[in-house]
Amino acid sequence: MGLVTSKEILEAADRGGYAVGAFNAINMETAQAIIHAAEDERSPLILQITQTTMNYTEPEELVALVFALVNKAKVPVAVHLDHGRTFEIVMRFLKFGFSSVMIDGSLQPDGKTPRNYEENVEITKKVVEAAHALGVTVEAELGRLGQIGTEIEVGDPGKALTDPDQARDFVGRTGVDLLAIAIGTTHGLYRGTPTIVHDRLEQIDKAVDVPLVMHGGSGVPDDAVVKAVQLGIRKINIDTQMRVAFYDAIKEVVAKTEKEHAGADELGEVRKYDIRKLLAPARDAVRETVRERIRVFGSSGKA
Ligand code: G3H
Ligand code: ZN
């Protein structure tokens, strides 16, 4: 099946009344896990790389690996830049052949300082013009999501919610294809249970005619997710939940291996350091986590 745009995937999701997961890959194992999970579930997929992963690895190498996997994929996959913060970064990922990009115009390039509304409109318009010339889908963000470490107090998202009238103006002026909105979610782990403001979501969905995106999907209760999908959320971003699965799997294997090898002779000691024995269970754990999310989002069997 191979590479498609997220617009194609999400317009089908809109017609079908389901959401599609957008999962962050950071290395070979997570990219494989995400794609194999979508194939297991026969689900369309948005595989994304977030800009901050560029601090971990040269994007060209990870991108080459991702496209090698996507070109073999048995389900349609959009390859998406997540949280691109500058025009230049987004252009770099367009050059890589990404079929979908996010310009996160809600924040300055430092990823912390909010941009004002007009600045967000301007940079988004610029990216839309360039990306649309290449047939690439554009996602933008309006409203303030808590960033990891600067959480919106759970249960008190009021001050950062996306305004429906502003959303209508923003989509009309920028021509953006997908809109990430603030309805009470935040990135990272929640302290307590997040309050998703569903009636605000309903108002925004009525105000704009583009698919809506939920960021900060990890840790949102399934019933709140399902209700959000019924009210118009079509793309749900998941990152932290996969990191936790990966980490916990490795922790478990290390503990077991240490126990098994306690007092081992030299050969036994060397066998302990087979890193594949750590990474394979971590990959499987991420694959299971992604499958479970896909089933809740409702896109299983839609590919
Ligand atoms: O853009 C990525 C997502 O918003 C990740 O959010 O780590 O809370 O799942 P999460
Ligand atoms: Zn996000």
Side-chain angles (χ1 to χ4, degrees):
M1 293 261 206
L3 186 66
V4 296
T5 65
S6 44
K7 185 172 179 184
E8 290 167 87
I9 287 182
L10 297 177
E11 283 179 342
D14 215 25
R15 291 191 296 273
Y18 55 88
V20 176
F23 301 94
N24 293 71
I26 54 132
N27 62 6
M28 178 185 82
E29 288 75 13
T30 50
Q32 288 172 327
I34 291 165
I35 289 185
H36 296 156
E39 291 176 334
D40 296 341
E41 292 298 323
R42 290 187 301 107
S43 166
L45 171 68
I46 299 172
L47 186 147
Q48 52 189 27
I49 295 176
T50 192
Q51 175 181 317
T52 48
T53 297
M54 289 170 70
N55 308 329
Y56 171 68
T57 178
E58 274 308 308
E60 288 82 351
E61 293 141 29
L62 179 58
V63 167
L65 171 93
V66 161
F67 277 111
L69 286 161
V70 168
N71 293 337
K72 286 168 44 189
K74 300 186 190 68
V75 292
V77 183
V79 179
H80 178 77
L81 165 65
D82 186 31
H83 288 293
R85 293 210 170 101
T86 68
F87 179 76
E88 293 70 21
I89 293 266
V90 174
M91 292 307 110
R92 194 163 169 205
F93 280 77
L94 287 180
K95 220 168 141 194
F96 289 148
F98 274 46
S99 60
S100 182
V101 291
M102 176 183 188
I103 174 64
D104 182 353
S106 66
L107 293 173
Q108 294 294 348
D110 66 6
K112 291 193 179 73
T113 321
R115 270 198 182 96
N116 72 41
Y117 179 66
E118 286 305 324
E119 283 175 322
N120 189 355
V121 168
E122 281 321 302
I123 193 167
T124 301
K125 264 168 72 173
K126 212 172 142 190
V127 166
V128 165
E129 194 180 339
H132 281 188
L134 299 170
V136 171
T137 305
V138 180
E139 174 186 338
E141 181 169 316
L142 196 59
R144 193 166 60 78
L145 276 103
Q147 300 306 319
I148 295 179
T150 60
E151 318 285 328
I152 297 175
E153 269 316 301
V154 166
D156 173 25
K159 50 185 172 301
L161 293 182
T162 300
D163 174 80
D165 294 331
Q166 196 175 66
R168 182 184 297 109
D169 178 70
F170 184 83
V171 170
R173 289 171 61 188
T174 61
V176 74
D177 302 299
L178 314 175
L179 187 65
I181 56 175
I183 50 172
T185 59
T186 181
H187 289 116
L189 294 173
Y190 291 99
R191 287 192 295 271
T193 306
T195 308
I196 307 304
V197 190
H198 288 102
D199 56 3
R200 178 60 65 91
L201 165 56
E202 197 167 13
Q203 292 158 12
I204 297 166
D205 189 54
K206 285 200 177 84
V208 300
D209 59 359
V210 296
L212 298 176
V213 184
M214 176 192 278
H215 281 243
S218 296
V220 178
D222 289 355
D223 58 340
V225 169
V226 169
K227 189 169 177 193
V229 173
Q230 288 162 350
L231 294 172
I233 289 289
R234 294 290 172 253
K235 175 175 180 272
I236 303 176
N237 286 17
I238 297 288
D239 188 358
T240 302
Q241 206 165 340
M242 294 189 293
R243 300 180 189 194
V244 170
F246 195 99
Y247 179 90
D248 286 351
I250 289 195
K251 209 170 80 179
E252 194 182 321
V253 176
V254 167
K256 193 163 149 281
T257 309
E258 286 299 323
K259 231 162 116 207
E260 279 164 7
H261 288 268
D265 60 19
E266 226 161 83
L267 181 61
E269 185 67 11
V270 166
R271 283 218 189 94
K272 182 165 88 169
Y273 299 112
D274 181 348
I275 295 176
R276 293 164 301 185
K277 292 213 171 77
L278 294 183
L279 292 175
R283 179 172 54 193
D284 293 344
V286 170
R287 182 171 181 169
E288 215 22 63
T289 300
V290 173
R291 288 193 65 175
E292 187 263 334
R293 287 295 90 202
I294 287 173
R295 290 195 287 267
V296 171
F297 300 164
S299 65
S300 294
K302 304 293 187 195

